[in-house]
Amino acid sequence: MDMIFRPIFEDKSAEEPIMIAGPCSAETEAQVMRTAHELSGQKVDLYRAGIWKPRTRPNSFEGVGKEGLGWLRRVKEETGLRVTTEVAKTQHVYEALKYGIDVLWIGARTTVNPFSVQEVADALQGVDIPVMVKNPINPDLKLWIGAIERLYKAGITRIAAIHRGFSYHGATKYRNIPRWQIAIDLKRQFPELPIICDNSHICGRRDILQMVAQKAMDLNFDGVMTEVHPNPDEAWSDAKQQITPAQYKAMMEEIVLRQPTTDDMEFLENLEHLRHEIDELDEEILNLVSGRMKLAERIGEYKKRNNISILQTSRWNEILERAVTKGKLKGLSEEFITVMLKAIHQESINHQERVMNQQDLTTD
Ligand code: PEP
Ligand code: MN
């Protein structure tokens, strides 16, 4: 679907990043006001606070509800900051609009469900308000785009995507692994759609927030969303990942904003040269992989003749271990080597399978 997006804020140049900060949840009026006052005057374009909280399990704090909307209205009046909150159903949309919330967002647990996204889109029919769409919790780019399309069809054209990482079963340093490639693919398909990095939900911890925010800026993202709380350890939700307004200030001062491009001829020529070299290496990689497949096919023919199964676990473990050790010496991470080799191995198996299941017409 062709979509033409308008900027989220008409009074802000599209070149400038959109910085969003505020608590995970609105807890009390004092906490909301104090955070807002400590953030006002800082690099913040939009104040966030969850009013209705979708929690993974019941009996967690599920948000203060509409009472908190009045607090956000007070934030607007006293600080001039624009405000945003998460909506997941019709009643949330109506209440938020009634209280003059400037921007809405759809949470990761809502984006996964087309019925809920459609309900929100229907409630927004004919309303001109910016809406930010978080990625679904599972790494499904189509589902993310689908949610954006549903809103667009309802007449919403000020849309941003929020990349908050993806759930992952297994040990990682992130709460939700970023899988940057998915966000980059979204950007490639919709170059005009702003993408904001929610470093808080990607990290789930404080010590790597800045590194992730910087990475997003280096990848030419259009903004950052960070959870900020006056007393993070005491927060009623997401305590481990929230930072104080002072820590937010320090983070913003450290972040280096990159220019998407430049007119500097020498720089551009060097870049062009390096890109050529990369293209050549990419081609070389393809040739090597294709050569590997041909060998796998020959082995397949041999196994077929001797009636041996395709998968030999000990051989596979040996290949993987050797590659991880060698790769580390060359500065390649274990995670990368594993993912790359698994993909190559699967492709080899497919090739072998084809060879082994082929009717051998010549021997009949
Ligand atoms: C949040 O922003 O506090 C939140 C609930 O995030 P997500 O939908 O990304 O889990
Ligand atoms: Mn949160």
Side-chain angles (χ1 to χ4, degrees):
M1 189 170 137
D2 274 343
M3 295 186 276
I4 298 166
F5 300 107
R6 284 155 60 220
I8 293 288
F9 299 128
E10 258 130 17
D11 58 351
K12 204 174 148 71
S13 127
E15 306 288 291
E16 281 175 84
I18 301 168
M19 298 302 186
I20 308 170
C24 176
S25 304
E27 298 165 3
T28 65
E29 185 164 15
Q31 169 250 7
V32 167
M33 295 314 299
R34 182 173 159 202
T35 317
H37 280 291
E38 291 183 16
L39 282 173
S40 91
Q42 292 201 34
K43 272 194 203 155
V44 178
D45 301 289
L46 188 59
Y47 183 79
R48 65 150 284 155
I51 296 290
W52 300 281
K53 301 299 298 177
R55 303 310 297 277
T56 303
R57 304 185 63 184
N59 304 325
S60 313
F61 171 60
E62 293 191 316
V64 289
K66 78 174 181 196
E67 188 189 1
L69 294 172
W71 309 340
L72 289 182
R73 187 161 60 189
R74 228 189 110 194
V75 166
K76 267 178 85 165
E77 287 162 5
E78 290 186 21
T79 66
L81 282 168
R82 285 180 272 225
V83 294
T84 181
T85 200
E86 172 173 354
V87 291
K89 46 191 204 175
T90 307
Q91 175 233 344
H92 297 164
V93 172
Y94 290 165
E95 300 284 5
L97 293 176
K98 201 159 75 195
Y99 280 82
I101 301 299
D102 300 285
V103 176
L104 305 176
W105 91 74
I106 294 185
R109 288 164 195 74
T110 305
T111 308
V112 286
N113 184 349
F115 287 131
S116 302
V117 174
Q118 193 58 52
E119 182 179 326
V120 170
D122 289 344
L124 283 169
Q125 187 83 43
V127 182
D128 181 20
I129 187 169
V131 181
M132 307 188 291
V133 183
K134 289 208 182 193
N135 64 257
I137 45 184
N138 52 324
D140 186 341
L141 179 57
K142 288 207 179 88
L143 205 48
W144 198 0
I145 295 173
I148 293 168
E149 288 172 333
R150 285 176 196 279
L151 290 163
Y152 192 84
K153 280 177 75 176
I156 300 291
T157 54
R158 289 189 284 164
I159 302 180
I162 300 180
H163 172 230
R164 49 78 81 197
F166 301 90
S167 168
Y168 180 73
H169 191 70
T172 113
K173 66 178 169 184
Y174 301 106
R175 177 176 174 198
N176 293 292
I177 52 164
R179 294 187 183 241
W180 297 101
Q181 198 54 49
I182 294 179
I184 292 167
D185 279 352
L186 181 68
K187 189 124 192 101
R188 213 187 44 222
Q189 286 189 45
F190 302 100
E192 301 304 319
L193 174 73
I195 304 191
I196 290 159
C197 168
D198 175 345
N199 57 345
S200 300
H201 290 89
I202 287 178
C203 298
R205 50 197 262 191
R206 296 172 195 140
D207 57 335
I208 52 173
L209 282 176
Q210 183 167 328
M211 180 269 285
V212 168
Q214 185 63 58
K215 167 106 182 177
M217 291 293 106
D218 295 348
L219 290 174
N220 213 5
F221 272 51
D222 303 275
V224 177
M225 183 194 235
T226 304
E227 288 184 340
V228 176
H229 191 285
N231 194 352
D233 287 332
E234 302 299 318
W236 298 359
S237 59
D238 290 350
K240 287 206 191 88
Q241 68 198 31
Q242 304 207 56
I243 52 173
T244 63
Q247 287 167 323
Y248 177 79
K249 185 162 192 272
M251 183 174 81
M252 284 296 128
E253 280 167 2
E254 286 295 313
I255 286 179
V256 184
L257 302 181
R258 317 268 187 212
Q259 303 296 330
T261 186
T262 166
D263 295 332
D264 179 340
M265 278 317 286
E266 195 186 326
F267 170 82
L268 288 175
E269 273 167 23
N270 284 339
L271 191 66
E272 193 60 16
H273 183 72
L274 292 170
R275 282 180 173 159
H276 268 305
E277 281 190 46
I278 286 196
D279 289 349
E280 272 168 34
L281 285 181
D282 281 349
E283 194 160 337
E284 190 83 351
I285 292 172
L286 287 183
N287 288 339
L288 289 172
V289 172
S290 143
R292 190 192 196 280
M293 296 309 148
K294 296 217 166 66
L295 286 178
E297 284 169 15
R298 277 175 60 191
I299 293 181
E301 277 158 20
Y302 194 61
K303 282 185 185 166
K304 183 181 177 183
R305 248 178 278 140
N306 293 282
N307 210 17
I308 294 172
S309 72
I310 292 184
L311 184 65
Q312 283 162 323
T313 323
S314 58
R315 164 82 180 136
W316 164 236
N317 285 343
E318 191 188 295
I319 291 177
L320 189 60
E321 266 168 42
R322 198 176 47 216
V324 166
T325 314
K326 280 195 178 168
K328 273 188 181 161
L329 292 174
K330 294 177 194 289
L332 301 171
S333 73
E334 180 168 347
E335 192 189 358
F336 166 70
I337 297 280
T338 312
V339 170
M340 181 190 74
L341 267 191
K342 272 191 186 161
I344 291 179
H345 186 235
Q346 183 58 52
E347 184 71 5
S348 295
I349 290 179
N350 296 348
H351 279 249
Q352 279 196 6
E353 230 163 33
R354 221 173 297 143
V355 168
M356 292 178 79
N357 294 327
Q358 232 163 37
Q359 298 285 347
D360 199 344
L361 301 172
T362 53
T363 52
D364 275 343

